[in-house]
Amino acid sequence: MNPGFDIMIVGIGGQGTILASNVLGEACLIEGRSVRGAETHGMAQRGGSVESQIRIGGIHGPLIVPGTADLLIAFDLLEAVRYRHFLKPGRKMIVNSQLVLPTSAFTSEQAILTAADITDMLSGPETTIVDATAIATAAGSPLAANIALLGAASHAIPLDTESLLEGVRRCVPQKTIAINEQAFLDGRAVLQP
């Protein structure tokens, strides 16, 4: 039994998956919490998958076993489908409504899925889909969608909001701190516990 809290963050190259995991790591350090993490980088230029595994307060290694994650944060609908088997039954999945189809979807002879098709596949009480890109755009930049999604997921993360915000300040480029703070707070406001 794991006494900690395990978070999977998944997306594709260039969506800020690693930055979001760094924010969580910084927030853990601010609170003096034990944290372990691991990353798998896909080929960003070709839409490869990127996953970060963050284990807060765990006593074992950095890798999360499928079926044991307490929270899944997905930056793309397809990545949510690809990694949902990591989620522990009954736990939360926060998903950005963005859909980036891989090139192979167009070169194969299979039917191309729509965002509605994938949303139906993900439907269930554990899934919350958020338009983090729109939230980030309204805050000042669509590039802050990762931080907006982190804000939306923050209600389910066992870390203080101020620690997460300080983690954002420490991890994003200085000239974008205000935009990212706003994206985090607006994302957090979208979902209420």
Side-chain angles (χ1 to χ4, degrees):
M1 180 172 173
N2 180 17
F5 191 88
D6 295 341
I7 304 172
M8 284 285 296
I9 304 176
V10 298
I12 60 175
Q15 290 183 318
T17 308
I18 303 299
L19 178 68
S21 68
N22 289 343
V23 169
L24 290 177
E26 285 293 330
C28 286
L29 294 177
I30 290 165
E31 294 189 9
R33 306 274 302 269
S34 165
V35 61
R36 297 169 192 248
E39 302 164 349
T40 302
H41 304 236
M43 295 178 67
Q45 299 300 321
R46 298 183 185 268
S49 289
V50 177
E51 65 176 69
S52 292
Q53 302 184 24
I54 303 295
R55 306 191 75 192
I56 302 171
I59 57 173
H60 300 295
L63 299 179
I64 299 172
V65 175
T68 64
D70 296 291
L71 175 65
L72 174 68
I73 302 172
F75 291 7
D76 183 273
L77 289 168
L78 273 180
E79 295 307 305
V81 172
R82 189 188 319 249
Y83 287 97
R84 65 183 170 178
H85 68 284
F86 272 88
L87 200 60
K88 192 183 296 181
R91 295 305 177 111
K92 297 288 287 176
M93 177 166 42
I94 310 294
V95 182
N96 189 7
S97 61
Q98 182 176 10
L99 173 62
V100 179
L101 291 170
T103 305
S104 60
F106 301 101
T107 58
S108 70
E109 295 184 10
Q110 299 177 355
I112 295 176
L113 296 174
T114 66
D117 295 332
I118 298 169
T119 300
D120 287 345
M121 293 170 68
L122 294 171
S123 68
E126 72 280 351
T127 304
T128 301
I129 298 176
V130 175
D131 190 348
T133 305
I135 295 168
T137 300
S141 172
L143 298 178
N146 58 340
I147 302 300
L149 198 61
L150 201 55
S154 64
H155 299 287
I157 298 171
L159 294 168
D160 290 340
T161 303
E162 186 50 45
S163 300
L164 290 166
L165 273 169
E166 182 57 28
V168 170
R169 292 181 199 110
R170 291 182 182 185
C171 292
V172 302
Q174 188 162 6
K175 66 181 180 183
T176 67
I177 288 175
I179 291 171
N180 281 286
E181 282 179 330
Q182 191 62 52
F184 180 90
L185 293 171
D186 291 348
R188 182 171 170 79
V190 166
L191 297 184
Q192 295 298 322

